[in-house]
């Protein structure tokens, strides 16, 4: 188990999720939509490409959620990350109409956190 470095891998995956979120918050496609729809479209498209990549990277940890994310993105990508940005963009169809997404991950309240910490603390 030590050789697999699961904890380190999970931390790196979380860092990728944080980067995706930070990109979207800094790019703010909603803020430029009226003034520059083309720029807003590019920013949203890039965000979807990032999400697509992270969905694939998440598969070993959360396979069902990963698959749901890829389906919501309209992707039929397999387990491998594209090594070329053009391939990634081609795998993330843009320009179509997205249906409202279901909530994929429910928020955990403080009481549930306490119960889960006790349950999985190993004590």
């Amino acid at each position: 188990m030590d050789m697999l470095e699961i904890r380190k891998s999970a931390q790196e995956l979380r860092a990728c999720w944080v980067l995706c979120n930070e990109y979207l918050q800094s790019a703010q496609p909603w803020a430029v939509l009226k003034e520059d729809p083309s720029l807003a479209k590019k920013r949203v498209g890039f965000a979807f490409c990032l999400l697509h990549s992270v969905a694939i990277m998440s598969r070993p940890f959360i396979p069902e959620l990963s698959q749901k994310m890829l389906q919501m993105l309209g992707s039929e990508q397999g387990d491998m990350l594209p090594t070329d940005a053009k391939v990634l963009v081609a795998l993330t169809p843009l320009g179509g109409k997205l249906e409202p997404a279901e909530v994929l991950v429910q928020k955990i309240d403080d009481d549930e956190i306490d119960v889960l910490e006790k349950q999985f603390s190993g004590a």
Side-chain angles (χ1 to χ4, degrees), residues 2-122:
D2 289 339
M3 290 177 55
L4 293 176
E5 298 184 6
I6 292 173
R7 185 178 302 270
K8 183 178 177 184
S9 299
Q11 289 170 341
E12 293 293 327
L13 178 60
R14 184 181 183 288
C16 292
W17 278 108
V18 168
L19 284 174
C20 288
N21 187 50
E22 287 175 353
Y23 169 75
L24 198 53
Q25 294 302 316
S26 66
Q28 296 183 348
W30 54 88
V32 298
L33 183 60
K34 288 184 181 180
E35 298 147 12
D36 193 344
S38 176
L39 179 59
K41 181 179 178 179
K42 288 176 185 175
R43 290 179 177 181
V44 169
F46 185 68
F48 278 126
C49 287
L50 291 175
L51 180 60
H52 186 272
S53 297
V54 176
I56 294 170
M57 287 186 273
S58 298
R59 188 167 288 170
F61 291 93
I62 46 175
E64 289 102 15
L65 182 59
S66 170
Q67 188 59 37
K68 282 184 180 181
M69 289 187 302
L70 291 170
Q71 287 172 346
M72 291 171 75
L73 290 168
S75 174
E76 299 300 322
Q77 170 66 15
D79 290 340
M80 299 301 295
L81 277 171
T83 56
D84 183 300
K86 290 179 182 179
V87 174
L88 176 60
V89 170
L91 292 171
T92 308
L94 302 175
K97 182 178 178 180
L98 291 174
E99 297 298 324
E102 65 179 280
V103 176
L104 295 177
V105 180
Q106 299 294 326
K107 183 176 180 175
I108 300 173
D109 66 32
D110 291 339
D111 292 336
E112 290 175 290
I113 290 173
D114 292 339
V115 169
L116 292 171
E117 283 180 344
K118 288 176 186 171
Q119 181 180 353
F120 295 106
S121 68

